[in-house]
Amino acid sequence: MITSMIWNLIKKPIFLFCFFLVACSSPSSSASSEEWTIGLQKHLLALPAEKLVYLEGFLYDLFALLAEKMQMQLRLVEGNKPELLAELDQGEMQAVVAFSRFHASPDEEYALSSPLIDLGTYLVLRVSGHALPSNFSDQLVGYATQRDRRLLLGAYPQAILRSYDSYRALLLALVAGEIDAVAVQKVVASGYINEFYPGELRFLSSPLEEDPLCLLLEEKSAQKLLPKFNDALSSISSSQYAHLEEKWGLTLR
């Protein structure tokens, strides 16, 4: 009888301990321990001094959502571009966040994921402005970077271009009616418009140039890694994307 009572006291802890061992060694548990290290370049986006756009915050939230969908860990490591590419080449990380227009080295083969977010350049117009010709012939169009100037020259050769030394000055001139439109990265303009000019400015629907941010992987590992990542990326709904973009100031509110 005493032996029976002792067994009844200890059998439940023994069962729970055995269940814990089985759970820890199950396939689902081991799968969740898989980890990718992903490089994130410091100062990826040339932002103005005012911190109105938080691209890094968006990316950290996005990768947290992707990790949940992939049932694995995605660890972001910030660093300088040359260091991150060296670690990628040496197999110390699985991928690097990069623009799709970026080519790390002409001697290496790389593959790109589906876009994480588009950081393209758009024309910004006044909401209450007068109708403008579609080719912007003889219209004053402002810019703040040489890259935006090149895009404008290619898209609207008949426009009259005017240079400004900052995004703030550029958008202020547009609001004041000194110019008819400006070319600027959409995420940068969104931060300024949300903060200083809500309801006063709008984007032209078509971009001057799309500029997607993607994952850059070595070609030899992409065949194994990319399908899983792209599937998770495609499963994120448009409303989830919109929520993250609005949360971090990357779109107009």
Side-chain angles (χ1 to χ4, degrees):
M1 183 175 179
I2 294 175
T3 304
S4 176
M5 290 175 61
I6 293 172
W7 168 245
N8 286 332
L9 288 171
I10 67 172
K11 68 179 180 180
K12 187 174 181 180
I14 290 174
F15 170 76
L16 292 174
F17 178 70
C18 292
F19 177 79
F20 175 76
L21 290 177
V22 172
C24 286
S25 61
S26 67
S28 61
S29 177
S30 61
S32 64
S33 65
E34 185 181 355
E35 179 180 286
W36 289 8
T37 300
I38 298 172
L40 179 59
Q41 181 186 331
K42 294 178 180 177
H43 313 301
L44 184 65
L45 193 61
L47 295 173
E50 298 93 337
K51 192 66 174 175
L52 306 174
V53 176
Y54 298 89
L55 179 61
E56 293 85 356
F58 170 86
L59 290 173
Y60 273 93
D61 273 4
L62 178 63
F63 278 105
L65 183 58
L66 288 167
E68 183 180 333
K69 290 179 176 293
M70 297 170 71
Q71 296 186 329
M72 60 182 296
Q73 297 180 55
L74 300 177
R75 186 169 66 96
L76 290 177
V77 176
E78 295 188 28
N80 297 318
K81 184 167 69 175
E83 298 167 356
L84 295 176
L85 291 175
E87 291 185 42
L88 178 64
D89 291 340
Q90 293 163 12
E92 296 176 13
M93 58 178 53
Q94 282 67 47
V96 172
V97 177
F99 289 101
S100 63
R101 58 184 156 85
F102 169 76
H103 296 287
S105 168
D107 302 323
E108 295 289 344
E109 294 294 329
Y110 292 92
L112 292 167
S113 73
S114 299
L116 304 171
I117 184 174
D118 179 34
L119 301 178
T121 298
Y122 285 72
L123 281 184
V124 181
L125 313 173
R126 288 186 299 278
V127 169
S128 59
H130 61 277
L132 299 172
S134 59
N135 63 356
F136 287 86
S137 176
D138 298 325
Q139 306 300 304
L140 284 170
V141 182
Y143 65 91
T145 70
Q146 288 303 306
R147 183 165 176 266
D148 291 341
R149 178 179 181 272
R150 289 193 296 270
L151 291 175
L152 287 170
L153 286 172
Y156 303 110
Q158 295 176 318
I160 302 169
L161 304 187
R162 182 177 292 178
S163 173
Y164 290 83
D165 59 5
S166 70
Y167 292 114
R168 182 76 181 273
L170 182 70
L171 291 166
L172 182 60
L174 177 60
V175 170
E178 297 174 12
I179 50 180
D180 301 298
V182 301
V184 65
Q185 272 188 315
K186 188 174 184 179
V187 295
V188 174
S190 294
Y192 272 106
I193 295 170
N194 289 333
E195 184 72 15
F196 302 113
Y197 315 115
E200 295 187 57
L201 301 175
R202 65 181 178 88
F203 292 107
L204 200 64
S205 57
S206 300
L208 282 168
E209 180 184 61
E210 294 181 347
D211 199 10
L213 200 61
C214 306
L215 279 193
L216 182 78
L217 302 88
E218 283 194 303
E219 187 70 48
K220 60 186 178 184
S221 61
Q223 187 173 357
K224 175 185 175 183
L225 301 179
L226 266 187
K228 186 175 183 178
F229 183 83
N230 284 338
D231 285 347
L233 198 57
S234 65
S235 70
I236 297 177
S237 67
S238 56
S239 61
Q240 286 175 307
Y241 261 110
H243 170 72
L244 290 181
E245 288 179 330
E246 185 172 338
K247 174 183 176 181
W248 294 106
L250 305 184
T251 189
L252 293 186
R253 299 191 184 102

